[in-house]
Amino acid sequence: DLLEAANNDDITVGYKLTRHVASKKNDIKLTATTKGTTIYGEYNDNQLAEVGASREVEIGDQKVNVEPSYKVQAKTARVKLMSALSGGKVAATVDYSDGDVDVNEVSFEKELETGRSVTATLTPKSQNLEVEYMDDTFESGASWTATANVPLEDANNILDAAKLTLSRAWTW
């Protein structure tokens, strides 16, 4: 942070600089936050790549994190929505470009119990459903993840076309 806020009415200003050594390019993200709203700009290789804002708003009795942004090179407006729902988290990403509206992704994440969670992500454009189950309690010191990717193009062939991946990560 370049400037830290003393209270919610003040402004916090920050930056994140990433240097890609091999390509000798810089990525910079500048942020300013006040009264619960964050405004940001991202520069990649000395070109403005994206501008946006994020804020948590109340819609009825539901809190929703709203993040509209504009991707300059792609000339695409994007809206990300995230909220708690039924003890889990639901999120959606929608793009608007050249008069077309595309739902990029819809996901639901839920912690089943401490150390066990499930995430389901639907990607309509590629017609894929990914379901991931993570378990940190199955084996001490290890994390097991089972991921099923189910292509939805052919409803008669879903089980045969599904791909299941099982992985284990551990610390030494």
Side-chain angles (χ1 to χ4, degrees), residues 2-172:
L2 295 171
L3 180 63
E4 292 189 29
N7 59 50
N8 196 34
D9 291 334
D10 287 346
I11 295 176
T12 298
V13 178
Y15 72 95
K16 179 180 178 181
L17 173 64
T18 305
R19 172 75 173 168
H20 302 280
V21 178
S23 65
K24 298 180 181 177
K25 294 182 180 180
N26 297 320
D27 293 341
I28 301 169
K29 183 173 183 176
L30 302 171
T31 59
T33 303
T34 187
K35 297 182 181 181
T37 300
T38 300
I39 299 170
Y40 65 90
E42 293 184 14
Y43 297 85
N44 299 331
D45 194 28
N46 294 325
Q47 292 184 343
L48 182 62
E50 182 176 355
V51 293
S54 66
R55 180 175 181 86
E56 185 176 85
V57 297
E58 288 191 32
I59 299 174
D61 61 347
Q62 197 72 26
K63 290 185 179 179
V64 179
N65 187 330
V66 179
E67 185 177 334
S69 63
Y70 183 73
K71 297 192 174 288
V72 177
Q73 301 299 324
K75 296 181 181 174
T76 300
R78 172 171 283 175
V79 177
K80 293 181 186 177
L81 303 168
M82 294 158 274
S83 183
L85 180 69
S86 300
K89 297 175 188 171
V90 65
T93 304
V94 179
D95 282 353
Y96 177 80
S97 179
D98 294 328
D100 294 329
V101 176
D102 289 320
V103 177
N104 287 343
E105 188 175 279
V106 177
S107 64
F108 180 74
E109 177 183 335
K110 182 167 179 133
E111 185 174 35
L112 303 172
E113 58 186 49
T114 302
R116 293 182 178 158
S117 64
V118 65
T119 303
T121 304
L122 175 64
T123 311
K125 194 174 247 182
S126 64
Q127 293 187 8
N128 187 61
L129 174 65
E130 179 178 279
V131 179
E132 179 181 86
Y133 173 76
M134 289 186 60
D135 192 334
D136 296 333
T137 65
F138 181 71
E139 179 183 4
S140 180
S143 179
W144 286 85
T145 303
T147 306
N149 281 288
V150 183
L152 303 174
E153 303 101 21
D154 184 4
N156 296 325
N157 194 29
I158 287 178
L159 290 177
D160 290 336
K163 178 181 175 185
L164 182 63
T165 305
L166 183 63
S167 63
R168 176 181 182 258
W170 65 95
T171 55
W172 296 85

